[in-house]
Amino acid sequence: MLQLNVKNETSRLRAVVLGSAFNNGPTPTADEAYDPKSLEHILAGTYPVEASMIAEMEAFNQVFQKYDVLVFRPEMIENYNQIFTRDIGFVIDDVFIKANILPERNRELDAIQYVIEQMNPNKVVRPPEEVHIEGGDVMLWNDYIFIGTYKGSDYASFITARTNMEGVNYLKALFPNKIVKEFDLVKSKLEARDNALHLDCCFQPVGTNKGIIYKSGFREEADYVYLVDLFGKENLFHITRDEMYNMNSNVFSIAPSVVVSEQKFTRLNNWLRDNGFTVEEIPYAEIAKQEGLLRCSTLPLIRD
């Protein structure tokens, strides 16, 4: 049985579900796009092809092998996007929470059922239907659970708003001993440079006391200030609007000192190395065209 344990974003990783780009299906039509960045590439004719996405994910898999991480992959569903496992569920402490994702994506959970069956069934929960929450919006930091949400009254009309306040309150009730802090994120259906699809699109901790942050991803300056006060301004790497668009905050930590990053993130990767991190650089720019990157395509199950 899998002994689930995830308390933060950076402790040594032992087991993970990595998404898959095999049999990804045809390029979606504009009407089928879930986010503005995919839409942009569909319209421009630059949407990523399956072969290049498979190669990128294999490069990621090789890094996991190098660090002796147990890797699960979803069972293949034909003509179906199964890259972004982060959205479909997440572990907090020793509990696996199934996400209520966009209904069109439900089959993604079925594809990892064989992994869920290796968990203690008493530690697997599914929130009620009115609770919307996706793993990209849930960020663990020891005693804290940071949650990205959208508080606008037009929540229902935003396909890019993935976690609601019911989701925040559900986690508060489930983990009464944690400090649950929600962050109101900027959303756009049309301009990917102004759309923080999930919290990990504008913030992520690295190491034991540092983080990557995009100030304009937060609708309320107070939410940004909260993180600056908690981490200290000198410990935060501030990314630009274009760096946010290219998903610079969506790297992935294998250990407190080891970060997997996109090879083109020159400024960020230099900062990480200057701060003592080992940076495992891989190509991931094609997958990034779907408004998701390294953190989005992982579902950590066990960290030390």
Side-chain angles (χ1 to χ4, degrees):
M1 189 173 282
L2 288 168
Q3 300 295 326
L4 301 179
N5 184 51
V6 181
K7 290 184 163 49
N8 57 49
E9 299 297 318
T10 66
S11 288
R12 179 66 163 92
L13 183 72
R14 297 297 174 190
V16 68
V17 183
L18 174 63
S20 170
F22 281 100
N23 219 322
N24 202 246
T27 297
T29 64
D31 292 344
E32 291 169 333
Y34 294 140
D35 64 83
K37 193 166 181 184
S38 293
L39 177 63
E40 190 180 305
H41 287 287
I42 291 165
L43 296 175
T46 51
Y47 195 80
V49 297
E50 185 177 303
S52 42
M53 294 194 289
I54 289 172
E56 289 182 345
M57 296 204 82
E58 190 44 43
F60 201 179
N61 192 25
Q62 289 303 317
V63 177
F64 286 134
Q65 303 310 319
K66 176 179 171 181
Y67 287 92
D68 204 25
V69 175
L70 176 62
V71 179
F72 297 97
R73 307 298 291 267
E75 291 174 342
M76 196 189 73
I77 302 172
E78 275 191 43
N79 295 328
Y80 205 67
N81 187 330
Q82 293 176 268
I83 293 173
F84 299 123
T85 50
R86 176 71 61 162
D87 296 343
I88 60 180
F90 50 93
V91 175
I92 298 179
D93 291 349
D94 61 350
V95 180
F96 182 78
I97 297 143
K98 294 182 175 184
N100 286 335
I101 40 183
L102 298 172
E104 305 87 286
R105 296 184 58 186
N106 263 330
R107 292 168 67 200
E108 289 179 65
L109 258 174
D110 301 339
I112 63 161
Q113 183 57 32
Y114 82 97
V115 182
I116 296 170
E117 283 167 2
Q118 297 176 51
M119 302 171 186
N120 177 347
N122 300 324
K123 293 290 188 176
V124 178
V125 299
R126 183 151 204 176
E129 215 169 299
E130 68 277 6
V131 169
H132 296 182
I133 193 153
E134 289 191 354
D137 277 323
V138 180
M139 192 82 64
L140 306 181
W141 194 243
N142 306 317
D143 295 334
Y144 293 85
I145 303 176
F146 303 136
I147 307 177
T149 184
Y150 178 68
K151 296 181 183 176
S153 56
D154 53 354
Y155 174 92
S157 69
F158 271 88
I159 196 168
T160 54
R162 300 291 175 79
T163 298
N164 59 13
M165 281 306 292
E166 286 85 345
V168 175
N169 293 329
Y170 176 79
L171 288 183
K172 280 183 176 170
L174 203 55
F175 297 98
N177 298 328
K178 299 268 190 185
I179 302 160
V180 178
K181 165 70 178 151
E182 78 276 5
F183 298 88
D184 200 9
L185 303 180
V186 171
K187 303 287 179 181
S188 172
K189 286 181 278 195
L190 301 172
E191 173 50 80
R193 284 167 184 78
D194 300 318
N195 179 45
L197 188 64
H198 290 122
L199 179 59
D200 59 18
C201 297
C202 56
F203 171 70
Q204 189 178 179
V206 288
T208 52
N209 65 341
K210 293 182 169 49
I212 304 162
I213 197 163
Y214 176 60
K215 184 180 180 181
S216 302
F218 300 91
R219 291 215 310 167
E220 299 288 334
E221 183 156 0
D223 282 351
Y224 160 76
V225 170
Y226 179 93
L227 289 169
V228 171
D229 288 346
L230 191 61
F231 282 79
K233 193 152 197 177
E234 68 285 359
N235 290 319
L236 291 171
F237 180 79
H238 282 72
I239 56 177
T240 65
R241 183 169 179 248
D242 271 342
E243 285 171 332
M244 191 282 292
Y245 169 75
N246 289 318
M247 317 284 304
N248 276 233
S249 60
N250 205 274
V251 295
F252 184 75
S253 293
I254 288 185
S257 60
V258 181
V259 179
V260 189
S261 181
E262 216 290 327
Q263 59 190 14
K264 294 195 180 89
F265 294 172
T266 313
R267 203 172 75 88
L268 170 65
N269 295 344
N270 287 340
W271 177 82
L272 287 167
R273 279 188 286 264
D274 288 347
N275 280 279
F277 291 90
T278 298
V279 183
E280 295 285 351
E281 294 190 16
I282 61 170
Y284 228 66
E286 290 302 299
I287 285 171
K289 292 175 178 179
Q290 300 181 70
E291 205 154 350
L293 206 79
L294 297 155
R295 187 177 188 270
C296 296
S297 39
T298 57
L299 196 178
L301 302 173
I302 303 170
R303 289 184 183 273
D304 284 347

